[in-house]
């Protein structure tokens, strides 16, 4: 991908209507474009040329790329510059394997720690997700699913678990976005969340692990199919 094509692709993803620092806007644009495959792996990003083409300073671009490097979406190579790593099929497999282990553990730990009020709060969150899904509000559903996941990890009260999962967040966001697009999968995922909730509340713990594994396995199947359709290997 040459610099002109890169600039045009980024412009498609730039949302300058956001009341956010330019570095954050650039980060979101890069992340969406890379995660969707619009900026393919092995693309070389020249910060200076891109800044000149966009008529901005190099600082927000450099800051955005540093953040992406920490998430392993790009890397800085000596004598070359910033090279896009992208998201590959192997990343999906690795991420879902790791998430399965960590989320099973986190969900069981959360269930042990939660009070009746916590379960009530989680029930309200799930009802909100159902409402958003019924309205076809995909963006709202995604935010609700993120809140559900965050709620579980907060209740697990294990900073170490969260620190292990944190480097995978860029991949997780991409895969969650992909799996939320088909209406049938959204409906199924919402039902799965309810099943996990009931298992957390009433047990047994083996049931929690089984349902979390099934939920992530079903999501992975949708993601793998969509990545193959996009030609991502």
């Amino acid at each position: 991908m040459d610099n002109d094509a890169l600039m045009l692709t980024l412009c498609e993803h730039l949302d300058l209507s956001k009341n956010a620092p330019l570095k954050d806007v650039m980060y979101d644009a890069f992340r969406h474009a890379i995660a969707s495959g619009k900026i393919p792996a092995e693309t070389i990003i020249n910060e200076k040329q891109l800044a000149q083409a966009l008529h901005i300073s190099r600082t927000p671009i450099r800051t955005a790329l540093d953040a992406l490097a920490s998430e392993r979406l790009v890397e800085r190579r000596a004598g070359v510059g910033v090279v896009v790593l992208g998201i590959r099929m192997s990343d999906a497999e690795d991420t879902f394997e790791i998430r399965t282990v960590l989320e099973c553990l986190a969900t069981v730990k959360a269930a042990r720690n939660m009070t009746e009020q916590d379960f009530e709060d989680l029930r309200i969150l799930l009802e909100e997700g159902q409402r958003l899904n019924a309205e076809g509000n995909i963006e709202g559903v995604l935010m609700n699913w993120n809140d559900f996941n965050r709620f579980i990890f907060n209740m697990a009260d294990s900073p170490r678990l969260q620190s292990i999962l944190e480097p995978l967040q860029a991949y997780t966001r991409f895969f969650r976005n992909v799996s939320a697009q088909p209406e049938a999968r959204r409906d199924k995922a919402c039902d799965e969340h309810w099943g996990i909730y009931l298992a957390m509340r009433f047990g047994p713990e083996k049931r929690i692990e089984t349902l979390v594994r099934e939920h992530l396995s079903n999501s992975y199947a949708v993601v793998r199919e969509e990545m193959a359709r996009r030609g991502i290997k």
Side-chain angles (χ1 to χ4, degrees):
M1 172 176 276
D2 61 27
N3 198 63
D4 289 340
L6 175 62
M7 184 189 69
L8 290 173
T9 300
L10 271 180
C11 287
E12 290 176 7
H13 291 82
L14 278 173
D15 185 0
L16 298 176
S17 65
K18 288 183 177 179
N19 185 21
L22 185 55
K23 63 182 178 62
D24 294 338
V25 175
M26 291 300 302
Y27 165 77
D28 286 340
F30 271 120
R31 182 169 59 80
H32 289 148
I34 292 172
S36 65
K38 296 290 183 64
I39 299 179
E42 298 304 315
T43 296
I44 297 174
I45 300 174
N46 186 304
E47 293 178 10
K48 182 179 179 181
Q49 291 180 3
L50 187 59
Q52 290 174 343
L54 293 172
H55 303 289
I56 61 175
S57 76
R58 292 176 62 178
T59 301
I61 295 175
R62 185 183 305 114
T63 303
L65 291 174
D66 285 343
L68 293 166
S70 71
E71 296 177 342
R72 298 293 298 155
L73 290 177
V74 304
E75 70 177 7
R76 295 186 181 277
R77 295 180 187 171
V80 177
V82 178
V83 180
V84 173
L85 299 178
I87 294 180
R88 296 156 292 190
M89 195 70 80
S90 60
D91 294 321
E93 182 178 358
D94 290 347
T95 299
F96 275 95
E97 285 181 354
I98 295 168
R99 283 184 61 195
T100 298
V101 173
L102 296 182
E103 293 190 21
C104 281
L105 178 58
T107 309
V108 168
K109 288 174 69 70
R112 293 172 183 169
N113 293 337
M114 287 170 65
T115 65
E116 284 301 310
Q117 184 58 54
D118 293 328
F119 280 114
E120 179 64 14
D121 292 342
L122 185 55
R123 183 187 65 79
I124 292 171
L125 184 64
L126 290 175
E127 287 182 345
E128 175 68 7
Q130 270 192 319
R131 182 186 65 78
L132 292 165
N133 187 44
E135 294 173 353
N137 186 344
I138 298 178
E139 192 65 31
V141 170
L142 281 168
M143 291 178 63
N144 182 267
W145 288 0
N146 288 334
D147 289 342
F148 176 82
N149 190 262
R150 192 178 302 112
F151 188 101
I152 296 296
F153 273 86
N154 286 341
M155 288 294 104
D157 193 26
S158 178
R160 190 174 297 277
L161 268 179
Q162 289 182 315
S163 68
I164 295 171
L165 196 61
E166 184 60 34
L168 299 176
Q169 287 307 306
Y171 297 107
T172 300
R173 284 190 293 266
F174 168 67
F175 298 138
R176 191 170 287 147
N177 182 280
V178 169
S179 66
Q181 300 309 310
E183 183 179 358
R185 177 56 200 153
R186 290 199 310 276
D187 293 344
K188 180 66 174 174
C190 287
D191 289 343
E192 289 166 355
H193 283 166
W194 276 110
I196 292 168
Y197 164 81
L198 292 172
M200 291 175 69
R201 190 158 195 172
F202 302 112
E205 290 185 354
K206 282 293 183 182
R207 179 67 173 161
I208 299 174
E209 293 180 3
T210 297
L211 292 177
V212 171
R213 288 180 183 277
E214 287 180 359
H215 171 63
L216 290 172
S217 177
N218 291 337
S219 294
Y220 175 51
V222 172
V223 167
R224 187 177 54 203
E225 181 180 344
E226 176 60 19
M227 291 179 72
R229 188 187 69 79
R230 297 182 187 184
I232 301 174
K233 300 179 180 180

